[in-house]
């Protein structure tokens, strides 16, 4: 191989690496920005836009002979700086666009239309840059189809590197800087391609990089304007806060407000914490005196301490946030407090900037403040507690999706049957689990409370003799509280005694807005929640089945606590008016995204062949339908398996950002290695992908069968040991998955024969099919997981790969018979 050829190959591999790195980094960063700007479920929307742009680029290349025949180095020289500049401008639009997406669902038709147009503008601003980098890689795939394995390896290696650095970058420089920095890198790639050829053009290329960098620095100063529905307003002064890998925290000083949604009733006494733009918690002034603790005398939190027998209880707080519950626990006489908070930004604020403001509460010898995941902490603890307190750890913003493999699930794992079982097993005989969270429409639709009760009932089925004797329910109707109505659900380690009921009754004397809805032997207010507590198993199951919303027990396989509307209801009742915007909007968005992706995919995949037929130069490729089915199955199947596997190990690793980084990096790097060395399969064409698929199914089913027991055992291991276990388990799966796409490209090359134009168009089209069905797969996987669980989603993915293998065998038979092309 000559030096010029080696240089040409090297430049193309570098391009593939940078394109993979930029694509994934942009996707991860934009999911965080959009989750902050809009709402958590729009992260699926961003993932869809990214994949849609990449898929559309493949279809566009299949249409354009000029792009198919273009020299990739020259293409990068022209496209990279333009795409980078447009991308920076697109970020500016995303950052400052004023939008209120809830009006799409609850506004007038004209209001909804306007917001849809604004959402379309936002979508184009995001999709454009993915389309541009997609053009570059699709051109690479077409021009270097015989080098597909090497290109795919370097593309995935770039994506894996992007995944590896994304989480640290989110926690340090923040998502906006990640977006702008990635775009500058894209412009630098164009400059690098110019320098590789020498000449005088480097000056204009360097000037383009300088323009992009200057524009990026300017746009980096722009404040991201959040949706009008959110509680953080553009006009408010943020005195502290930062982007974090979990969610963004903004601190607003309400010292001039006399009453702020019931979280502070004295001037200068409260700082409100907005989690991804939504009011999430607060930091109160505290010094241990009556002046800063008097508010707890009439606070519903006191019920939790009345429920336990020990007057100086050992307390575990899950969801410690700004320390308000630590202050409450100390005020109510706690003897020891383990307080666990997931978000490192919140933890840092309490430990450092607001240490004086909170009276250095974390230095109190009774307090052990831990930044980490509550479930992992409990699994690794040998301690028993008088009170395990789940304090509304239900921020919708928490653990937002950074890629298609990560949904807003981490904190939902705190509400699963397995978590309740673990917590219950850590109680002292006189102890209790207390879960408190807002249930906005309790009197009309107590979905949150009902689901927690059904889950607790399933968890305690083999742990207590009579569930109705080990539970209590209090509802607070304080209208000044930003949570609205607050449910306090108490799960007692032992059957409730009369003395316990008396303590709770006494605590309620100071809480005129709080009502006992159920206390064993004393109070039973008729309604859904009491029925779920007191009816026998069959009767309670019938109530759950007949209820119009999803309130059944959840477990680790299906931890979607907030999924209250079935998808059958969504499809059959696509209304635009809601009493509660929590209900069904996320589900409707997923359904709409599937519909839009399907329509766009149908258009772009049909268009290339329609155009060529119209021009009269079309050739019919025998086996094209088989290729379509093969790449469509890969696009769907990969998303099913990726999401299922990553979520299966997310709980094991505990901290959500660590889970994403380790799991997705391992899967991507293993897939890259599998693709690079998949050529060995060409020596066994008679069997093809059959043994690979068989091994993939065996390993996946094995993991599925042992995952729960393995997780229970390994959660107590050291972090490095759990990371090593996840890598060891995921790597073989990724290795096997990496063999399929190159094998499909090989089949497309064989079926296209010797006609270079047909080959280029067919390879680009196959790439587009895979991209578009990945878009559809990202949303369909979410729907299947929410409706049926991750195990069913994994099985669906394995079915897709089995189908792809069967189609590959059919295409191989057609290729062997030499029936390749036929004139149309």
């Amino acid at each position: 191989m000559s030096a010029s050829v080696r240089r040409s190959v090297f430049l193309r591999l570098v391009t593939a690496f940078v394109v993979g790195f930029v694509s994934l980094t942009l996707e991860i960063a934009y999911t965080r920005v959009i989750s902050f700007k809009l709402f958590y479920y729009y992260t699926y929307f961003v993932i869809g836009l990214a994949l849609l742009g990449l898929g559309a680029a493949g279809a566009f290349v299949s249409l354009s002979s000029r792009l198919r025949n273009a020299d990739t180095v020259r293409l990068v020289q022209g496209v990279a700086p333009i795409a980078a500049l447009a991308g920076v401008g697109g970020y500016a639009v995303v950052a400052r666009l004023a939008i209120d997406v809830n009006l799409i669902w609850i506004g007038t038709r004209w209001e909804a239309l306007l917001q849809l147009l604004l959402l379309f503008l936002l979508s184009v601003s995001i999709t454009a840059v993915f389309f541009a980098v997609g053009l570059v890689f699709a051109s690479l795939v077409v021009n270097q189809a015989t080098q597909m394995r090497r290109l795919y390896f370097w593309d995935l290696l770039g994506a894996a590197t992007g995944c590896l650095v994304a989480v640290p970058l989110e926690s340090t420089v923040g998502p906006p800087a990640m977006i702008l920095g990635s775009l500058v890198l894209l412009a630098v790639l164009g400059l690098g391609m110019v320098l590789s050829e020498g000449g005088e053009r480097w000056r204009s290329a360097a000037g383009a990089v300088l323009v992009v960098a200057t524009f990026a620095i300017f746009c980096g100063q722009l404040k991201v304007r959040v949706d009008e529905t959110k509680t953080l307003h553009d006009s408010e002064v943020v005195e502290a806060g930062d982007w974090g890998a979990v969610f963004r925290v903004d601190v607003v000083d309400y010292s001039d407000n006399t009453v702020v949604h019931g979280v502070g009733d004295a001037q200068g006494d409260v700082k409100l914490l907005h989690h991804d733009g939504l009011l999430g918690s607060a930091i109160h002034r505290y010094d241990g005196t009556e002046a800063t603790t008097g508010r707890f005398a009439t606070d519903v939190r006191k019920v939790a301490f009345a429920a336990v027998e020990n007057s100086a209880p050992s307390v575990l707080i899950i969801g410690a946030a700004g320390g308000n519950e630590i202050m409450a626990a100390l005020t109510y006489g706690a003897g020891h407090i383990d307080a666990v908070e997931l978000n490192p930004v919140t933890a840092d604020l309490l430990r450092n900037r607001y240490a004086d403001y909170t009276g250095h509460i974390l230095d109190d010898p009774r307090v052990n403040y831990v930044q980490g995941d509550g479930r992992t902490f409990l699994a690794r603890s040998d301690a028993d507690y008088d009170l395990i307190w789940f304090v509304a750890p239900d921020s919708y913003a928490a653990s937002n999706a950074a890629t298609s493999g990560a949904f807003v699930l981490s904190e939902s794992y705190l509400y699963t049957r397995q978590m309740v079982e673990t917590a219950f097993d850590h109680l002292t005989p006189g102890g209790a689990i207390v879960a408190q969270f807002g249930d906005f429409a309790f009197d009309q639709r107590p979905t949150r409370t009902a689901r927690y009760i059904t889950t607790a009932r399933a968890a305690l089925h083999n742990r207590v003799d009579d569930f109705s004797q080990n539970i209590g329910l209090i509802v607070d109707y304080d209208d000044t509280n930003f949570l609205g109505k607050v449910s306090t659900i108490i799960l007692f380690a032992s059957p409730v005694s009369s003395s316990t009921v008396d303590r709770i009754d006494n605590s309620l004397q100071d809480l005129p807005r709080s009502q006992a809805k159920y206390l064993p032997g004393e109070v039973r207010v008729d309604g859904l929640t009491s029925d779920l507590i007191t009816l026998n198993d069959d009767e309670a199951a019938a109530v759950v089945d007949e209820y119009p919303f999803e309130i059944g027990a959840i477990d680790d396989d299906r931890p979607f606590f907030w999924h209250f509307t079935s998808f059958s209801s969504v499809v059959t009742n696509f209304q635009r008016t809601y009493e509660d915007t929590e209900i069904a909007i996320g589900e409707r968005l997923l359904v709409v995204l599937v519909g839009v992706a399907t329509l766009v995919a149908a258009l772009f995949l049909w268009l290339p062949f329609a155009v060529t037929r119209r021009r009269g130069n079309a050739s019919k490729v025998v086996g094209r339908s088989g290729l379509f089915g093969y790449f469509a199955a890969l696009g769907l199947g990969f998303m099913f398996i990726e999401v299922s596997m990553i979520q299966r190990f997310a709980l094991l690793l505990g901290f959500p950002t660590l889970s994403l980084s380790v799991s997705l990096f391992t899967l991507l790097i293993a897939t890259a290695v599998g693709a690079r060395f998949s050529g060995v399969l060409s020596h066994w064409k008679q069997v093809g992908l059959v043994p690979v698929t068989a091994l993939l199914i065996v390993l996946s089913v094995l993991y599925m069968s042992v995952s729960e027991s393995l997780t229970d055992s390994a959660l107590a291991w050291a972090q490095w040991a759990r990371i090593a276990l996840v890598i060891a388990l995921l790597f073989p799966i990724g290795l096997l998955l990496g063999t399929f796409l190159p094998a499909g490209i090989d089949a497309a090359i064989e079926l296209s024969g010797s006609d270079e134009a047909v080959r280029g168009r067919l390879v680009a089209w196959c790439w587009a099919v895979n991209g578009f069905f990945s878009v559809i797969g990202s949303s369909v996987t979410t729907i299947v997981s929410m409706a049926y669980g991750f195990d069913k989603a994994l099985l669906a993915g394995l079915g897709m790969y089995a189908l792809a293998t069967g189609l590959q065998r059919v295409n191989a038979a057609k290729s062997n018979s030499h029936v390749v092309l036929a004139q149309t």
Side-chain angles (χ1 to χ4, degrees):
M1 184 184 293
S2 67
S4 61
V5 173
R6 286 197 299 271
R7 183 176 64 85
S8 176
V9 170
F10 172 76
L11 292 176
R12 285 160 174 78
L13 296 181
V14 169
T15 298
F17 179 89
V18 174
V19 164
F21 179 88
V22 168
S23 297
L24 195 73
T25 305
L26 285 173
E27 183 183 343
I28 290 173
Y30 259 126
T31 55
R32 292 294 303 112
V33 170
I34 292 300
S35 180
F36 172 64
K37 182 178 183 67
L38 303 180
F39 294 92
Y40 77 97
Y41 39 76
Y42 281 89
T43 55
Y44 306 125
F45 181 70
V46 173
I47 294 165
L49 290 177
L51 295 172
L52 199 61
L54 297 173
F60 198 77
V61 169
S62 72
L63 274 172
S64 171
S65 59
R66 184 177 178 182
L67 283 173
R68 292 197 303 273
N69 298 322
D71 179 77
T72 304
V73 173
R74 292 293 178 90
L75 184 65
V76 173
Q77 291 174 2
V79 170
I82 296 173
L85 192 63
V88 174
Y91 169 78
V93 172
V94 172
R96 294 306 302 160
L97 186 68
I99 193 168
D100 187 350
V101 291
N102 269 352
L103 290 178
I104 296 173
W105 311 101
I106 63 175
T108 66
R109 293 187 184 278
W110 287 111
E111 288 174 331
L113 179 60
L114 174 60
Q115 296 305 317
L116 282 171
L117 290 174
L118 294 175
L119 190 60
F120 177 75
L121 175 60
L122 185 145
S123 304
V124 171
S125 300
I126 295 174
T127 307
V129 68
F130 288 103
F131 179 78
V133 296
L135 282 180
V136 172
F137 193 74
S139 174
L140 268 176
V141 170
V142 170
N143 290 325
Q144 305 290 324
T146 56
Q147 298 294 318
M148 179 62 195
R149 286 173 174 80
R150 296 182 72 184
L151 289 173
Y152 195 41
F153 170 81
W154 285 101
D155 176 64
L156 289 174
L157 184 63
T161 305
C163 177
L164 190 65
V165 303
V167 171
L169 288 176
E170 279 185 333
S171 302
T172 52
V173 302
M178 289 172 62
I179 292 170
L180 298 171
S182 296
L183 293 169
V184 172
L185 176 62
L186 187 61
V188 170
L189 176 65
L191 173 61
M193 294 299 114
V194 172
L195 291 173
S196 70
E197 294 188 336
E200 298 297 320
R201 294 180 58 237
W202 72 268
R203 290 185 175 87
S204 59
V209 172
L210 182 61
V211 170
V212 171
T214 302
F215 191 27
I217 292 171
F218 169 77
C219 291
Q221 308 306 309
L222 297 175
K223 181 180 178 181
V224 178
R225 182 170 184 167
V226 301
D227 188 273
E228 296 297 327
T229 305
K230 291 200 166 184
T231 55
L232 179 66
H233 302 298
D234 200 48
S235 59
E236 289 183 312
V237 177
V238 175
E239 69 173 34
D242 202 355
W243 292 93
V246 181
F247 49 77
R248 179 176 173 84
V249 178
D250 290 284
V251 183
V252 178
D253 183 10
Y254 276 79
S255 58
D256 294 330
N257 291 36
T258 302
V259 177
V260 185
H261 300 296
V263 296
D265 56 6
Q267 293 184 354
D269 280 351
V270 64
K271 314 280 186 180
L272 294 188
L273 274 60
H274 297 266
H275 298 168
D276 268 357
L278 290 169
L279 190 57
S281 59
I283 296 178
H284 291 260
R285 186 183 299 279
Y286 177 82
D287 59 12
T289 67
E290 176 69 19
T292 58
T293 63
R295 56 195 171 89
F296 291 121
T298 56
D299 193 305
V300 71
R301 291 171 178 83
K302 71 187 306 181
V303 173
F305 291 83
V308 300
E309 293 181 359
N310 193 342
S311 59
S314 173
V315 180
L316 170 62
I317 301 172
I318 297 181
N324 196 36
E325 280 66 37
I326 301 175
M327 299 173 190
L330 292 174
T331 302
Y332 298 133
H336 175 77
I337 302 167
D338 286 331
V340 184
E341 168 55 32
L342 183 67
N343 196 333
V345 176
T346 305
D348 181 68
L349 289 171
L350 197 58
R351 283 185 176 128
N352 297 301
R353 174 154 185 156
Y354 294 104
D356 289 339
Y357 188 81
T358 57
H360 291 271
I361 192 171
L362 301 189
D363 295 331
D364 189 299
R366 293 169 290 177
V367 177
N368 173 36
Y369 188 82
V370 178
Q371 189 270 305
D373 172 67
R375 183 155 175 185
T376 304
F377 177 87
L378 191 57
R380 300 187 68 188
S381 174
D382 294 328
D384 288 336
Y385 296 92
D386 297 303
L387 173 62
I388 299 178
W389 196 5
F390 293 84
V391 190
D394 56 3
S395 304
Y396 288 131
S399 314
N400 271 307
T403 179
S404 56
F407 307 120
V408 190
L409 298 178
S410 178
E411 291 197 333
S412 291
Y413 281 116
L414 295 178
Y415 292 129
T416 64
R417 171 181 56 80
Q418 290 88 343
M419 180 54 175
V420 176
E421 292 171 349
T422 300
F424 195 81
D425 292 341
H426 279 76
L427 291 177
T428 62
I433 298 170
V434 174
Q436 291 181 307
F437 42 74
D439 205 339
F440 303 98
F442 180 88
D443 292 329
Q444 297 78 34
R445 186 179 58 252
T447 48
R448 298 181 179 189
T449 307
R451 169 153 276 171
Y452 193 85
I453 290 172
T454 57
T455 302
R457 181 167 181 154
L460 303 188
H461 183 72
N462 295 320
R463 283 170 167 77
V464 301
D465 295 329
D466 184 352
F467 178 69
S468 67
Q469 297 302 306
N470 291 72
I471 184 172
L473 173 61
I474 312 296
V475 177
D476 184 72
Y477 286 85
D478 187 350
D479 294 334
T480 65
N481 192 303
F482 76 96
L483 290 174
K485 301 176 180 66
V486 176
S487 287
T488 298
I489 303 170
I490 311 168
L491 302 176
F492 298 91
S494 304
V496 178
S497 64
S498 59
S499 60
T500 299
V501 172
D502 290 341
R503 290 196 306 273
I504 294 174
D505 281 339
N506 290 335
S507 70
L508 292 176
Q509 301 304 310
D510 299 322
L511 306 173
R513 295 189 182 95
S514 296
Q515 298 177 13
K517 296 294 184 179
Y518 182 83
L519 288 174
E522 179 167 308
V523 180
R524 186 195 188 282
V525 177
D526 289 340
L528 173 66
T529 53
S530 291
D531 287 343
L532 293 174
I533 291 171
T534 59
L535 295 178
N536 64 43
D537 290 344
D538 292 337
E539 291 170 337
V543 170
V544 171
D545 291 341
E546 293 170 5
Y547 196 66
F549 297 100
E550 296 278 324
I551 56 170
I554 64 164
D555 58 24
D556 289 345
D557 182 54
R558 190 170 170 250
F560 296 87
F561 187 90
W562 313 107
H563 171 49
F564 298 124
T565 307
S566 67
F567 284 99
S568 60
S569 299
V570 169
V571 173
T572 58
N573 184 24
F574 214 88
Q575 62 174 340
R576 288 184 55 256
T577 57
Y578 308 99
E579 298 175 10
D580 181 353
T581 53
E582 175 186 62
I583 299 295
I585 290 184
E587 290 88 347
R588 280 166 172 74
L589 183 69
L590 283 174
V591 172
V592 168
L593 185 56
V594 170
V596 170
T598 302
L599 288 174
V600 173
L603 174 64
F604 275 92
L605 296 178
W606 167 81
L607 190 60
F609 293 96
V611 170
T612 52
R613 281 196 297 270
R614 188 177 182 84
R615 292 173 179 170
N617 59 352
S619 297
K620 182 173 178 60
V621 178
V622 175
R624 192 182 75 197
S625 60
L627 285 175
F628 174 85
Y630 180 87
F631 283 96
L634 290 192
L636 291 171
F638 187 83
M639 298 308 294
F640 275 118
I641 293 176
E642 178 192 46
V643 169
S644 302
M645 283 294 176
I646 290 177
Q647 285 300 334
R648 189 166 301 283
F649 295 115
L651 179 60
L652 180 60
L653 290 176
F655 192 66
T657 51
L658 175 66
S659 304
L660 171 66
S661 182
V662 172
S663 299
L664 189 56
F665 171 79
T666 302
L667 200 57
L668 287 172
I669 202 74
T671 302
V673 174
R676 180 67 181 87
F677 297 102
S678 61
V680 298
L681 294 176
S682 61
H683 300 304
W684 294 286
K685 286 189 176 181
Q686 296 301 317
V687 294
L689 293 170
V690 172
V692 176
T693 305
L695 185 56
L696 177 65
I697 292 173
V698 170
L699 281 178
S700 299
V701 172
L702 177 63
Y703 291 173
M704 187 167 59
S705 62
V706 303
S707 62
E708 184 171 339
S709 58
L710 183 63
T711 299
D712 289 341
S713 300
L715 269 177
W717 295 3
Q719 187 179 89
W720 68 266
R722 286 179 284 132
I723 290 175
L725 177 63
V726 169
I727 292 174
L729 293 174
L730 265 183
F731 200 89
I733 297 294
L735 202 66
L736 296 171
L737 292 176
T739 63
F740 286 86
L741 193 138
I745 296 296
D746 288 345
I749 293 173
E750 290 184 14
L751 288 171
S752 62
S754 59
D755 190 324
E756 292 288 333
V758 172
R759 186 186 72 178
R761 189 162 57 244
L762 185 62
V763 169
W765 181 77
C766 290
W767 186 256
V769 171
N770 182 259
F772 280 123
F773 276 88
S774 294
V775 181
I776 298 170
S778 66
S779 296
V780 170
T781 301
T782 308
I783 291 172
V784 171
S785 299
M786 292 173 74
Y788 304 106
F790 293 124
D791 283 350
K792 299 295 193 303
L794 177 59
L795 292 174
L798 295 175
M800 289 293 104
Y801 273 86
L803 174 62
T805 301
L807 292 171
Q808 187 252 6
R809 300 294 298 151
V810 172
N811 284 335
K814 291 181 178 180
S815 178
N816 291 335
S817 66
H818 303 291
V819 182
V820 179
L821 297 175
Q823 289 297 120
T824 58

